Amino acid sequence: MAETGEEETASAEASGFSDLSDSELVELLDLEEAKESTVSLSKPGPSSELPGKDDKPNWCELQMVYGKELPGFLTPEKAAALDSGASIHLAKELELHDLVTVSVTTKEDAWAIKFLNILSMIPTLQSEGRIREFPVFGEVEGVFLVGVIDELHYTSKGELELAELKTRRRPVLPLSAQKKKDCFQVSLYKYIFDAMVQGKVSPASLIHHTKLCLDKPLGPSVLSHARQGGFSVKSLGDLMDLVFLSLTLSDLPAIDTLKLEYIHQETATVLGTEIVAFEEKEVKSKVQHYVAYWMGHRDPQGVDVEEAWKCRTCDYVDVCEWRRGRGALSSWLEPKAKELK
Ligand code: SF4
């Protein structure tokens, strides 16, 4: 976790069954050094992208833990579904800009790419354009969170709208429990984005949590892309100063509306959209709940009884302690679980 310096990435919540390939949820700070990142080049002018996404299916907190402790359980079918969803995201992104792969060798390089992406997207946002894959980061309830907003654009009323794409394996909308989780995700994105543009995320907080070395020389590939983007910088510190200045001086608005868009993976048909009401108190309280696990204050939880159907296709159904500990739930699941074998 960020506070302890452990190398850990995690979903802050379960993303909902079957939308396996969506943008990753906001992640607890990932201190792993990325080996390669992508920079997306907007048309016209340079734009952005960031380190790779974690497209693992997480529809249960405990499942996410099993995923880390028992890697290799992912079935080929699910891996294929992830690829399919990732392709839809990539296609959407390529509508707006090209992607360029940049070699990175340190976490400072990886953050430099993140910063370059932000710097190149701010002017588009200022001119009321559409951007995709906007990196967000900030401290919420004592934990540093990092994520990527799928898309930001302005509505016909001139409101800044966040649109989150959710791909579905089956051509049906998710149940309400899943939608709630998607709502939490976009609400959290808004909370962090607003804090960034309102100057509430400080360089000190970023450095404290990431332990980034601002003087460390950036890699040649990163420097070259910075130059191509028109940024004459030598270190991460230079870039970070630019980012924080740009975020606060660009007069970017807070996000006005939050929209979820559900798309069928196979046909790319839009299944429906959902407008999300932002409830700050609720967002904070949910964050506290999830953070309690990451801070070691509680054990991971499996799905609620009303969502027990999700266990039927979970890779860990045969080893799951949570499921075993619930007699009624287990007996309800058993016949259906067997059917799948
Ligand atoms: Fe979660 Fe159910 Fe899987 Fe257990 S079997 S990890 S409770 S989804």
Side-chain angles (χ1 to χ4, degrees):
M1 275 171 279
E3 295 279 21
T4 59
E6 288 177 25
E7 296 193 354
E8 197 63 83
T9 306
S11 295
E13 50 103 71
S15 66
F17 179 70
S18 88
D19 52 340
L20 302 178
S21 56
D22 295 310
S23 288
E24 88 279 48
L25 295 172
V26 173
E27 296 170 349
L28 285 170
L29 178 65
D30 180 8
L31 293 178
E32 282 187 47
E33 291 185 358
K35 294 283 178 283
E36 197 173 68
S37 285
T38 55
V39 166
S40 47
L41 298 180
S42 291
K43 305 165 185 168
S47 177
S48 57
E49 230 311 343
L50 84 169
K53 295 181 162 198
D54 178 5
D55 283 330
K56 296 185 196 86
N58 291 309
W59 54 81
C60 162
E61 192 173 68
L62 190 54
Q63 186 190 59
M64 178 269 302
V65 173
Y66 282 133
K68 291 189 174 295
E69 290 176 353
L70 304 169
F73 260 73
L74 193 64
T75 62
E77 291 78 15
K78 284 184 182 152
L82 293 178
D83 284 348
S84 167
S87 301
I88 292 176
H89 277 274
L90 180 61
K92 285 261 179 193
E93 192 176 0
L94 289 172
E95 286 171 7
L96 295 183
H97 47 224
D98 298 327
L99 292 179
V100 175
T101 301
V102 181
S103 297
V104 298
T105 53
T106 64
K107 67 180 177 186
E108 282 75 16
D109 280 353
W111 271 88
I113 296 298
K114 211 183 287 286
F115 288 157
L116 284 170
N117 288 336
I118 291 174
L119 285 170
S120 59
M121 279 191 266
I122 285 176
T124 312
L125 265 189
Q126 279 179 307
S127 56
E128 307 206 345
R130 177 185 302 261
I131 56 166
R132 287 192 61 82
E133 311 291 320
F134 188 87
V136 286
F137 54 85
E139 190 178 310
V140 186
E141 298 299 308
V143 171
F144 200 76
L145 301 175
V146 180
V148 185
I149 292 176
D150 249 3
E151 181 172 313
L152 287 167
H153 60 237
Y154 291 85
T155 65
S156 54
K157 290 183 191 161
E159 295 172 327
L160 182 58
E161 182 170 82
L162 178 157
E164 178 73 21
L165 175 70
K166 294 287 181 193
T167 54
R168 307 273 303 159
R169 278 197 292 172
R170 288 183 298 139
V172 288
L173 285 169
L175 298 177
S176 75
Q178 292 166 241
K179 278 189 191 167
K180 268 191 206 163
K181 289 167 179 170
D182 298 338
C183 293
F184 170 60
Q185 181 190 355
V186 292
S187 297
L188 200 46
Y189 282 154
K190 168 178 163 54
Y191 186 89
I192 300 174
F193 177 89
D194 291 357
M196 285 170 75
V197 300
Q198 290 164 355
K200 293 177 186 166
V201 179
S202 70
S205 164
L206 173 67
I207 296 162
H208 167 72
H209 287 287
T210 57
K211 310 285 185 283
L212 286 166
C213 179
L214 299 183
D215 298 329
K216 199 169 190 168
L218 294 172
S221 180
V222 175
L223 285 174
S224 158
H225 280 283
R227 273 194 302 276
Q228 282 173 28
F231 303 108
S232 176
V233 292
K234 286 185 183 142
S235 66
L236 186 69
D238 296 343
L239 266 179
M240 191 184 73
D241 291 344
L242 273 177
V243 164
F244 278 95
L245 271 177
S246 298
L247 281 171
T248 48
L249 298 180
S250 299
D251 211 21
L252 292 176
I255 292 169
D256 295 300
T257 56
L258 302 170
K259 185 172 79 178
L260 291 164
E261 192 173 40
Y262 294 96
I263 293 188
H264 183 214
Q265 274 181 359
E266 198 180 322
T267 60
T269 311
V270 177
L271 302 171
T273 56
E274 189 92 11
I275 298 299
V276 178
F278 178 71
E279 303 282 353
E280 185 171 329
K281 265 191 185 172
E282 205 181 310
V283 173
K284 282 184 157 184
S285 128
K286 279 192 178 171
V287 170
Q288 282 166 3
H289 171 75
Y290 291 117
V291 164
Y293 161 69
W294 289 99
M295 302 300 272
H297 296 156
R298 67 168 174 83
D299 290 330
Q301 293 177 349
V303 296
D304 291 334
V305 171
E306 63 265 27
E307 293 183 288
W309 56 271
K310 292 176 179 175
C311 302
R312 285 184 215 155
T313 50
C314 174
D315 291 327
Y316 309 101
V317 67
D318 292 332
V319 295
C320 179
E321 296 294 335
W322 179 272
R323 191 182 74 89
R324 273 192 206 146
R326 298 191 159 198
L329 176 60
S330 298
S331 58
W332 177 81
L333 280 164
E334 215 54 55
K336 295 168 179 91
K338 278 179 183 158
E339 279 169 24
L340 293 168
K341 290 176 186 171

